[in-house]
Amino acid sequence: PSPPPLRPGGLTGDPHLHFAHGGEADFRGEDGAVYALLHHVGLAVNAMFEASAFFLPSLKVRGTFITELFVKAKATQGSRSVRIEFTPNKKPYWPVVYYETGKARTLRADEPPFAVDDVSASVSESSRSGQQVLEVRTAAWKIEATARMIARSVVLRKRQIDLSALAGAVTRSHPTLRRAGWWRRTG
């Protein structure tokens, strides 16, 4: 029999991992550590985890959340690449695209999408919930990162990032979760 169709894999909450073939797991990241969530030809997705407590009905939970996301994507044609930083708890609060030239552009919901060859990025915002959604597309992947408030957090207005990744029909990569040491912050 053929394998079941792939669903988007991803992470939600503190974080609960959802794998493309239907499996699930929980993960506790180290406070302040950056982990490589997905590496594939021309694409790297890394995330910073931050410890943050929140309340359940009769319990205080000390969890970790993704609070910053870093994407590096390379176009399949040519050699141009871009980096995208999404840090919704720090100014400018919107994703920032860094070109190879060093030039930067802030992505906002009311502006046109960014595109370099077959790599694109756009942002949408829900006026009702205040959620920001960053969508990054390459020839083989669709990445969605949703910034939303941590429910019942002890830190007011703290945002987490939920993440989903969907491979194209020609790609059957298995994402790995490991500590990332290559990401360099700017500024």
Side-chain angles (χ1 to χ4, degrees), residues 17-145:
L17 285 71
H18 310 280
F19 301 109
H21 293 286
E24 294 184 347
D26 290 336
F27 179 78
R28 180 173 173 81
E30 183 180 325
D31 185 35
V34 175
Y35 291 88
L37 302 178
L38 172 66
H39 276 232
H40 190 262
V41 175
L43 180 68
V45 180
N46 299 288
M48 179 179 284
F49 282 68
E50 187 175 330
S52 185
F54 62 97
F55 293 101
L56 292 177
S58 60
L59 181 66
K60 182 177 182 180
V61 179
R62 289 174 174 81
T64 58
F65 295 87
I66 294 175
T67 56
E68 299 183 23
L69 187 73
F70 312 105
V71 177
K72 185 172 184 179
K74 183 178 179 188
T76 57
Q77 302 297 322
S79 61
R80 297 196 304 176
S81 64
V82 295
R83 289 184 309 116
I84 302 169
E85 292 185 6
F86 190 16
T87 57
N89 293 299
K90 298 177 183 176
K91 287 185 179 180
Y93 307 113
W94 293 91
V96 177
V97 175
Y98 294 92
Y99 300 86
E100 288 178 328
T101 61
K103 183 181 171 189
R105 172 185 168 195
T106 302
L107 293 176
R108 297 189 187 275
D110 57 347
E111 295 178 357
F114 155 84
V116 167
D117 300 326
D118 58 359
V119 175
S120 67
S122 62
V123 177
S124 60
E125 183 177 36
S126 167
S127 59
R128 188 173 51 89
S129 66
Q131 293 181 349
Q132 296 170 307
V133 180
L134 166 66
E135 182 180 290
V136 179
R137 287 182 179 261
T138 69
W141 289 91
K142 176 185 173 188
I143 307 295
E144 263 189 20

